[in-house]
């Protein structure tokens, strides 16, 4: 009520008085941004949205974190160990971590039971957690969630003493450590949670903090302000005092102008105005590329076509089961042309020849994509006119009398994404021109902007479709999930001619063998072999990795924690505000230096 | 009068029931993917089923509807699901209404203070420089899309006067531009209609007769012309004031004002059924109350209108 009176006084004051624009803010290290995607909750145990992870990561810590090279570091756990088959993991906690309230008052010490309470909340179906899929890695987690077990003590987590927490898993999980980078494994103070009930995480007051920052202000659709937590166990590494997020529905449009006026410290620069920035001497030095993220984009060929008869699904089913036909599409798709629709300056930087992106995982400093089975694919371009035409002739000969040409290739796109629409049309013209309209007839179709996946991809209403996937933990198996038997992508298990003696397909057997292997080097090699098979047989056409393109920012991206999955990459800890934004040349220089240092750090980490 | 208001309110309850029931049912036709958000890709079908069941979406529609009305009778509009999880809808709306009301009422007041006198002066000086200037302003505001001049004001006026581009409730200076922008269109509207009704009135026989009888121009204008000219505007004024609650989507977006503008669109996009239902109820009620108050206002300013059994303005 006081606030409302204040607002009223403000309104009257502005009509009656001349006001000055001076702000009386004391000079603190403050990072300011505008954003348009509002968070819906602070309850990190419920959410699966990236922008909510970004807030939670700065307010609450997990057991582990990563350094700027992606090497795992102690977080709330100071040390850990696992048994030989990676099914039991034990963590020793720090004893100097405090839970504090929104006003910085100490509430309780962090104890092992907090991790048990956190997982109990996530696995209780009535709490509607949307990261439960990750939490069910623990023994009996799925059974408890489904209600088959009601006694939580039977679930694979326990506090063996005040500062020791032990996880027992359903199956050997050598990458479990990386899964702890997800919010569903974060702690919560059980007493506070019980006291707040359904209100937990709805306001800054209904929340407890043990991370680098405390929420000083939380007004959805207006502003949120994070201030440094003075009781934080690692406060010397928190170098930004205040982080101010200002909501603006048109943030994408106004942010570049606000950045130029000095009202914000970071702004994405959309492709539509990137020319203007690069052609302006003053602006040019303030804009740089962003680091790619780990969303992988690929074109999936559908082995279970369920689209309308007018697009000849039966004919598609015949041709898609012919390797030469698939290979002709694989080599005909010009990925650079497609990428130019979103990245006119450095399209090659975003291309990916493999489903698993570069810099995701490594074996003793050797990147996964450079392991022997994948190296030839990684170091070449799938686009090859001669090979495309060669495979076209082979396919036509093999399918003569069996299939109808030109083959109708239904290629839907999400009508809510102009970039996707442009890309699809570019590819239609490019592929038809190269392979000939007598061979393929690419049919571009606008799909719904809402519910596209449930309307188009999941029911199989496509022949060729751009799809993507994001990783959930540090293991190549995370990128195999779209192609698993219960996957909802392109159903490669239905491809004809790949069944082996045990009734499973070659790809499934390769994956099963890899998953059953604990030794990292051997395991990754087997996954690389499976992925190489998937690509060589052209079940999918790897295309690109995600990334937002260009940014004007006063942050150095190479100071941030590096992690392709989970939430620690969202932390501001370790970062400081630069005096001036990084230029693109400086960015490229810093990237080369960082990659070199990272390779050394990864080698050292395995010693 | 009381009988008339009672009858209209009773009809309104029935109208609201129909509107809410239709909207409630239509919302249940939305794709379920929207409730799951990013988790849709990661959750197994079994996990998704448990999740949706817990949201109450697996109950038969009549049961869901019955629960909604039962809660409504207790003044409970429910809790948000996907917009601000677990926060009561009433709290979400209350937080935002205050901003929209302050700006909206400020804009209405400003436009009445400027627009009505401008219209009167234009009518009095018909065909002279002020009338032409006012007409030019009205034509500009009507012809140019509002989004264009809103954006121009924000980009250039803030630059010329070195003002912040974004609203900050604790900096009074940041209140001015949104308020002025919001008042531009209604000012033109009031001036245009006021001028038109005044000109119509000035040409009537009773005015000519009064002038011939030597009635002072000032008395003529304010006691006769203005009062009669204002009658048609009085009908829409209550609804205009009430609908300031809904906020201005574009102005609030541009200046980052955390008001009601865009809340309905956001809630629909996020498939937050409870907020959509709550807002439809609020907005429908405002519309109905606005109409009733408009009728009453007309009856108050025009003694010829009587609201009784079997009578109404429309």
């Amino acid at each position: 009520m006081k606030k409302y009176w204040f607002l009223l006084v403000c309104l009257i004051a502005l009509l009656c008085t001349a006001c000055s624009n001076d702000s009386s803010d004391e000079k603190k290290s403050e990072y300011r941004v505008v954003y348009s995607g509002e968070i819906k909750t602070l309850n990190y145990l419920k959410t699966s949205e990236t922008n909510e992870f970004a807030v939670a990561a700065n307010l609450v810590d997990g057991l582990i974190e990563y350094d700027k090279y992606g090497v795992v570091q102690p977080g709330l756990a100071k040390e850990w160990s696992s048994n030989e088959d990676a099914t039991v993991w034990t963590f020793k906690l720090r004893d100097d971590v405090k839970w504090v309230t929104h006003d910085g008052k100490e509430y309780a010490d962090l104890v092992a039971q907090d991790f048990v309470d956190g997982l109990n909340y996530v696995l209780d179906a009535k709490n509607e957690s949307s990261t439960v899929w990750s939490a069910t890695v623990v023994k009996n987690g799925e059974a408890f969630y489904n209600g088959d077990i009601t006694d939580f003590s039977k679930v694979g987590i326990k506090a063996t003493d005040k500062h020791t927490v032990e996880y027992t898993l359903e199956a050997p999980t050598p990458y479990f450590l990386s899964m702890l980078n997800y919010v569903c494994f974060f702690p919560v103070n059980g007493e506070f949670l019980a006291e707040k009930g359904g209100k937990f995480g709805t306001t800054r007051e209904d929340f407890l903090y043990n991370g680098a920052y405390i929420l000083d202000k939380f007004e959805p659709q207006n502003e949120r302000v994070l201030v440094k937590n003075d009781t934080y166990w690692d406060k010397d590494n928190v170098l930004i005092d205040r982080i101010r997020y200002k909501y603006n529905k048109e943030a994408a449009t106004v942010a570049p102008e606000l950045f130029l006026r000095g009202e914000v410290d970071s702004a994405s620069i959309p492709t539509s105005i990137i020319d203007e920035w690069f052609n302006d001497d003053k602006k040019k030095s303030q804009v740089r590329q962003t680091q790619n993220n780990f969303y992988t984009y690929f074109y999936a060929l559908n082995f279970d076509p369920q689209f309308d008869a007018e697009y000849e699904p039966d004919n598609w089913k015949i041709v898609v089961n012919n390797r030469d036909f698939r290979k002709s599409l694989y080599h005909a798709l010009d990925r650079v042309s497609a990428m130019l629709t979103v990245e006119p300056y450095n399209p090659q930087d975003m291309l990916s020849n493999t489903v698993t992106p570069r810099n995701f995982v490594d074996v003793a400093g050797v990147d996964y994509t450079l392991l022997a089975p994948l190296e030839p694919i990684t170091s070449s371009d799938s686009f090859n006119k001669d090979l495309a035409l060669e495979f076209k002739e082979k396919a036509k000969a093999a399918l003569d009398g069996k299939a109808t040409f030109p083959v109708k290739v239904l290629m839907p796109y999400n009508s809510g994404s102009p970039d996707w629409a442009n890309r699809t049309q570019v590819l239609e013209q490019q592929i038809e021109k190269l392979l000939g309209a007598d061979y393929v007839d690419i049919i571009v179709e606008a799909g719904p902007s809402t519910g596209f996946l449930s309307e188009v991809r999941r029911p199989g209403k496509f022949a060729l479709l751009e799809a993507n996937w994001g990783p959930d933990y540090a293991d190549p198996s995370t990128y195999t999930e779209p192609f698993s038997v219960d996957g909802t992508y392109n159903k490669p298990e239905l491809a004809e001619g790949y069944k082996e003696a045990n009734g499973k397909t070659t790809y499934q057997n390769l994956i099963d063998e890899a998953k059953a292997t604990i030794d990292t080097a051997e395991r990754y090699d087997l996954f690389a072999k499976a992925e190489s098979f998937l690509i060589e047989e052209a079940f999918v056409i790897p295309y690109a990795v995600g990334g937002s393109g260009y940014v004007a920012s006063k942050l150095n991206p190479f100071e941030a924690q590096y992690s392709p999955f989970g939430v620690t990459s969202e932390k501001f800890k370790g970062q400081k505000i630069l005096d001036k934004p990084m230029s693109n040349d400086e960015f490229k220089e810093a990237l080369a230096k960082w990659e070199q240092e990272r390779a050394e750090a990864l080698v050292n980490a395995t010693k | 009068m009381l009988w008339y208001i009672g009858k209209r309110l009773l009809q309104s309850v029935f109208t609201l029931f129909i509107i809410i029931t239709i909207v409630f049912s239509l919302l249940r036709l939305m794709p379920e993917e929207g409730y799951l958000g990013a988790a849709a890709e990661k959750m197994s079908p079994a996990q998704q089923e448990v999740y949706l069941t817990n949201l109450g979406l697996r109950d038969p529609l009549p049961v869901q509807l019955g629960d909604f009305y039962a809660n409504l009778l207790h003044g409970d509009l429910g809790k948000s699901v996907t917009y601000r999880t677990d926060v009561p809808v009433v709290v979400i709306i209350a937080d935002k209404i205050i901003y929209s009301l302050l700006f909206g009422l400020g804009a209405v007041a400003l436009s009445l203070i400027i627009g009505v006198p401008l219209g009167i002066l234009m009518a009095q000086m018909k065909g002279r420089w002020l009338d032409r200037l006012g007409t030019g302003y009205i034509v500009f505001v009507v012809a140019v899309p509002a989004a264009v001049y809103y954006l121009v004001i924000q980009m250039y006026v803030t630059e010329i006067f070195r003002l912040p581009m974004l609203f900050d409730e604790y900096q009074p200076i940041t209140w001015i531009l949104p308020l002025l922008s919001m008042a531009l269109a209604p000012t033109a509207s009031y001036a245009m209609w006021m001028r038109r009704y005044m000109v119509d009135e000035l040409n009537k026989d009773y005015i000519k007769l009064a002038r011939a009888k030597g009635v002072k121009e000032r008395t003529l204008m304010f006691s006769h012309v203005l009062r009669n000219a204002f009658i048609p505007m009085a009908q829409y004024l209550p609804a205009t004031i009430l609908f300031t609650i809904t906020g201005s989507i574009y102005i609030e977006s541009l200046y980052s004002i955390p008001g009601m503008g865009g809340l309905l669109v956001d809630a629909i996009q996020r498939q937050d059924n409870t907020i959509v239902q709550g807002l439809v109820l609020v907005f429908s009620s405002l519309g109905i109350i606005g109409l009733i108050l408009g009728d009453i206002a007309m009856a108050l300013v025009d003694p010829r209108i009587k609201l009784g059994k079997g009578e109404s303005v429309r």
Side-chain angles (χ1 to χ4, degrees):
Chain A
M1 199 64 204
K2 276 182 186 173
K3 185 174 125 182
Y4 299 158
W5 279 113
F6 180 80
L7 293 176
L8 198 60
V9 169
C10 269
L11 185 63
I12 292 161
L14 81 89
L15 293 170
C16 306
T17 62
C19 309
S20 80
N21 188 20
D22 290 342
S23 153
S24 60
D25 271 4
E26 56 183 271
K27 276 290 169 196
K28 275 193 162 188
S29 155
E30 184 180 57
Y31 177 71
R32 302 153 305 161
V33 283
V34 280
Y35 69 99
S36 60
E38 186 54 273
I39 63 170
K40 63 176 187 277
T41 182
L42 296 171
N43 186 345
Y44 51 92
L45 299 172
K46 267 186 119 154
T47 181
S48 62
E49 305 288 336
T50 307
N51 58 351
E52 284 155 20
F53 290 165
V55 178
N58 289 290
L59 307 179
V60 180
D61 272 9
L63 286 164
I64 55 115
E65 55 185 36
Y66 288 82
D67 67 11
K68 62 183 181 179
Y69 302 117
V71 177
V72 70
Q73 299 293 325
L76 295 179
K78 56 185 180 185
E79 58 191 57
W80 53 83
S81 61
S82 75
N83 65 350
E84 202 164 318
D85 69 350
T87 52
V88 179
W89 293 74
T90 308
F91 296 84
K92 294 278 181 194
L93 305 183
R94 295 177 188 280
D95 54 9
D96 58 346
V97 181
K98 306 284 182 194
W99 287 108
V100 295
T101 57
H102 68 280
D103 48 6
K105 292 195 176 84
E106 287 182 20
Y107 182 89
D109 291 337
L110 176 102
V111 292
Q113 184 60 34
D114 297 342
F115 290 89
V116 179
D117 291 339
L119 199 64
N120 191 350
Y121 182 94
V122 170
L123 289 172
D124 188 339
K126 75 172 190 305
N127 294 323
E128 296 157 10
S129 169
S130 47
T131 46
V132 68
W133 49 268
S134 184
T136 50
V137 69
V138 297
K139 194 172 181 64
N140 290 330
E142 185 82 45
F144 185 81
Y145 182 75
N146 293 337
D148 303 335
I149 289 176
T150 52
D151 180 2
F152 190 73
S153 66
K154 290 193 168 65
V155 175
I157 181 169
K158 59 175 182 275
T160 54
D161 64 40
K162 194 179 175 186
H163 291 112
T164 309
V165 62
E166 184 187 87
Y167 292 88
T168 305
L169 310 182
E170 282 282 6
T173 313
Y175 50 86
F176 179 64
L177 211 51
S178 67
M179 294 182 82
L180 298 172
N181 195 6
Y182 258 99
V183 283
C184 58
F185 292 102
F186 276 24
V188 69
N189 182 281
E191 191 186 330
F192 186 84
L193 186 65
E195 181 194 325
K196 295 296 175 185
K199 284 167 68 183
F200 177 73
T202 56
T203 67
R204 72 189 189 99
E205 292 86 0
D206 297 311
F207 193 85
L208 275 191
Y209 308 79
N210 72 20
Y213 291 91
I214 292 172
L215 263 176
D216 188 47
K217 186 177 184 181
F218 177 55
E219 291 181 11
Q221 280 79 43
N222 182 14
E223 190 175 40
R224 62 176 176 264
V225 179
L226 280 66
V227 295
K228 191 172 168 178
N229 176 2
D230 288 330
T231 65
Y232 184 50
W233 63 271
D234 195 19
K235 67 177 177 184
D236 292 346
N237 283 316
V238 183
L239 309 172
I240 301 174
D241 296 310
R242 256 162 66 100
I243 299 156
R244 183 172 182 245
Y245 295 85
K246 181 70 183 164
Y247 177 79
N248 188 296
K249 203 173 168 65
E250 307 299 326
T253 309
V254 301
E257 181 63 26
L258 289 168
F259 183 84
L260 291 171
R261 295 189 190 190
E263 289 187 46
V264 296
D265 300 306
S266 181
S268 287
I269 310 300
T271 313
S272 55
I273 60 167
I274 197 68
D275 277 349
E276 182 199 321
W277 276 65
F278 272 122
N279 294 327
D280 181 306
D281 287 340
K282 189 184 159 206
K283 294 177 184 174
K284 188 181 175 181
S285 62
Q286 303 187 65
V287 64
R288 63 167 173 84
Q289 286 169 265
T290 56
Q291 274 181 301
N292 294 333
N293 65 36
F294 289 86
Y295 265 87
T296 185
Y297 289 77
F298 49 87
Y299 285 89
L301 290 90
N302 187 9
F303 290 89
D304 188 24
Q306 298 295 329
F307 42 84
D308 291 346
E310 64 176 302
Y311 303 122
E312 301 172 1
D314 294 338
N315 195 49
W316 171 257
K317 187 142 190 165
I318 293 164
V319 298
V320 80
N321 278 297
N322 178 277
R323 184 178 185 270
D324 295 328
F325 179 82
R326 296 197 304 267
K327 292 289 275 187
S328 68
L329 285 181
Y330 175 84
H331 289 298
L333 196 146
D334 183 355
R335 302 171 310 156
V336 173
S337 295
M339 186 44 80
L340 281 169
T341 57
V342 286
E343 173 47 285
Y345 285 91
N346 302 286
Q348 293 85 349
D349 290 357
M350 290 186 77
L351 297 185
S352 179
N353 296 355
T354 49
V355 175
T356 307
R358 289 184 299 275
N359 292 332
F360 177 62
V361 286
D362 69 288
V363 179
V366 178
D367 193 74
Y368 169 81
T369 60
L370 293 171
L371 295 176
L374 278 173
E375 196 277 332
I377 294 170
T378 301
S379 55
S380 62
D381 187 354
S382 63
F383 178 57
N384 185 319
K385 289 180 184 178
D386 296 338
L387 280 174
L389 293 170
E390 192 182 311
F391 278 111
K392 170 193 168 180
E393 294 310 320
K394 284 184 183 175
K396 281 193 87 166
L399 293 165
D400 187 31
K402 296 175 188 167
T404 310
F405 288 96
V407 174
K408 287 184 177 174
V409 183
L410 179 63
M411 200 171 174
Y413 64 89
N414 184 322
S415 57
S417 167
D419 288 342
W420 193 345
N422 293 341
R423 213 159 34 240
T424 310
Q425 279 150 12
V426 165
L427 287 177
E428 176 196 19
Q429 290 171 22
Q430 184 263 314
I431 294 172
E432 283 184 0
K433 190 178 171 191
L434 174 58
L435 293 177
D438 62 325
Y439 182 66
V440 283
D441 173 16
I442 309 265
I443 299 160
V444 169
E445 190 182 64
S449 58
T450 305
F452 179 83
L453 299 180
S454 55
E455 293 296 314
V456 176
R457 199 198 71 208
R458 291 191 189 116
K461 292 182 177 175
F462 68 95
L464 184 65
L465 180 74
E466 182 184 307
N468 69 6
W469 180 259
D472 301 319
Y473 42 83
D475 190 71
S477 64
T478 191
Y479 284 103
T480 68
E481 286 175 40
F483 316 111
S484 62
V485 174
D486 53 357
T488 58
Y489 279 67
N490 61 331
K491 306 278 184 187
E493 70 275 14
L494 300 178
E496 291 167 12
Y498 293 96
K499 278 272 191 291
E500 295 193 341
N502 64 354
K504 291 183 176 180
T505 65
T506 310
Y507 179 72
Q508 285 171 261
N509 283 326
L510 286 168
I511 292 297
D512 288 350
E513 189 186 356
K515 282 182 175 177
T517 307
I518 302 292
D519 177 72
T520 303
E522 199 184 334
R523 179 184 175 91
Y524 286 11
D525 210 58
L526 287 166
F527 274 117
K529 192 175 163 189
E531 186 169 334
S532 154
F533 173 82
L534 191 79
I535 298 166
E536 284 291 355
E537 295 302 307
F539 290 152
V540 292
I541 307 168
Y543 161 52
V545 286
S548 54
Y550 291 85
V551 69
S553 173
K554 286 189 177 177
L555 288 184
N556 176 354
F558 305 107
E559 287 177 345
Q561 294 194 18
Y562 181 81
S563 160
F565 38 79
V567 306
T568 65
S569 57
E570 306 287 352
K571 289 187 175 192
F572 282 94
K573 178 179 167 180
Q575 296 187 82
K576 54 184 177 292
I577 300 173
L578 303 171
D579 294 332
K580 62 180 185 65
M582 197 183 258
S583 71
N584 208 37
D585 289 340
E586 288 167 337
F587 171 80
K588 284 181 172 173
E589 203 177 304
L591 175 63
K593 184 168 173 271
W594 175 84
E595 282 183 335
Q596 192 183 340
E597 287 172 357
R598 178 169 186 259
E600 289 166 17
L602 293 175
V603 171
N604 292 336
T606 54
K607 281 177 184 171
Chain B
M1 173 78 94
L2 281 176
W3 186 92
Y4 169 80
I5 293 170
K7 189 182 85 171
R8 287 292 300 271
L9 284 175
L10 212 62
Q11 286 172 344
S12 303
V13 171
F14 181 70
T15 309
L16 280 177
F17 173 78
I18 299 290
I19 291 170
I20 292 291
T21 304
I22 291 170
V23 169
F24 188 97
S25 307
L26 287 175
L27 286 170
R28 267 63 191 171
L29 298 174
M30 296 287 274
E32 288 175 343
E33 199 179 291
Y35 302 116
L36 298 159
E41 283 293 71
K42 306 288 183 182
M43 279 177 147
S44 69
Q47 288 169 347
Q48 288 183 22
E49 199 54 35
V50 171
Y51 185 88
L52 294 169
T53 303
N54 272 291
L55 282 180
L57 293 164
R58 289 290 176 261
D59 293 339
L61 187 62
V63 173
Q64 291 183 50
L65 198 56
D67 289 345
F68 172 74
Y69 280 120
N71 292 331
L72 195 60
L73 289 174
H74 296 99
D76 180 10
L77 284 174
K79 286 181 177 177
S80 166
V81 178
T82 56
Y83 183 77
R84 279 184 64 192
T85 312
D86 295 332
V87 178
V89 171
V90 173
V91 171
I92 292 171
I93 293 175
D95 281 350
K96 291 175 165 293
I97 270 183
I98 188 71
Y99 289 100
S100 291
L101 260 181
L102 284 172
F103 276 102
L105 292 177
V108 168
L110 206 60
S111 52
L112 282 171
I113 291 165
I114 299 168
V116 172
L118 181 64
I120 295 168
L121 288 170
M122 283 167 71
Q124 279 182 299
M125 303 168 75
K126 189 169 170 246
R128 286 151 67 186
W129 70 270
L130 183 71
D131 187 32
R132 287 180 183 162
L133 194 72
T135 305
Y137 162 66
I138 291 163
V139 168
F140 175 83
V141 168
V142 172
V144 178
V148 173
Y149 55 79
Y150 287 163
L151 197 60
V152 166
I153 289 169
Q154 194 208 28
M155 293 298 286
Y156 296 104
V157 177
T158 54
E159 194 163 20
I160 292 162
F161 293 100
R162 298 190 171 258
L163 301 171
M165 279 175 76
L166 302 182
F167 167 75
D168 180 343
E169 66 204 78
Y170 301 111
Q171 281 196 66
I173 195 91
T174 62
W175 289 69
I176 294 172
L177 284 183
L179 198 59
L180 288 175
S181 301
M182 255 185 217
L184 279 176
T187 299
S189 175
Y190 288 132
M192 181 174 72
W193 291 111
M194 202 67 222
R195 177 189 181 279
R196 187 197 141 174
Y197 295 136
M198 292 276 289
V199 169
D200 285 353
E201 211 63 29
L202 282 166
N203 288 328
K204 287 186 175 167
D205 290 344
Y206 80 93
I207 298 292
K208 291 172 187 168
L209 179 66
R211 274 208 179 105
K213 285 166 77 178
V215 178
K216 282 183 184 171
E217 194 65 20
R218 190 182 176 85
T219 310
L220 197 73
M221 288 300 288
F222 289 95
S223 297
H224 300 286
V225 179
L226 183 59
R227 185 176 172 178
N228 287 332
F230 200 75
I231 290 170
M233 292 177 70
Q235 187 184 350
Y236 299 107
L237 206 54
T240 306
I241 290 167
L242 282 175
F243 266 89
T244 59
I245 285 172
T246 61
S248 160
I249 293 181
Y250 200 63
I251 296 271
E252 288 180 7
S253 290
L254 271 182
Y255 291 93
S256 296
I257 299 164
M260 292 280 284
L263 178 60
L264 181 61
V265 176
D266 284 350
I268 291 169
Q269 283 173 342
R270 290 199 181 201
Q271 274 185 233
D272 200 315
N273 294 352
T274 45
I275 293 189
V276 175
Q277 287 148 201
L279 287 176
V280 167
L281 183 69
V282 170
F283 293 168
S284 308
S285 305
L286 286 178
I288 289 163
I289 293 165
L291 288 173
I292 295 171
L293 289 178
D295 288 354
I296 294 166
M298 277 195 77
L300 292 175
V301 294
D302 188 348
R304 293 168 300 175
I305 296 170
K306 294 273 185 291
L307 298 175
K309 278 192 180 186
E311 294 181 67
S312 79
V313 214
R314 275 167 287 278

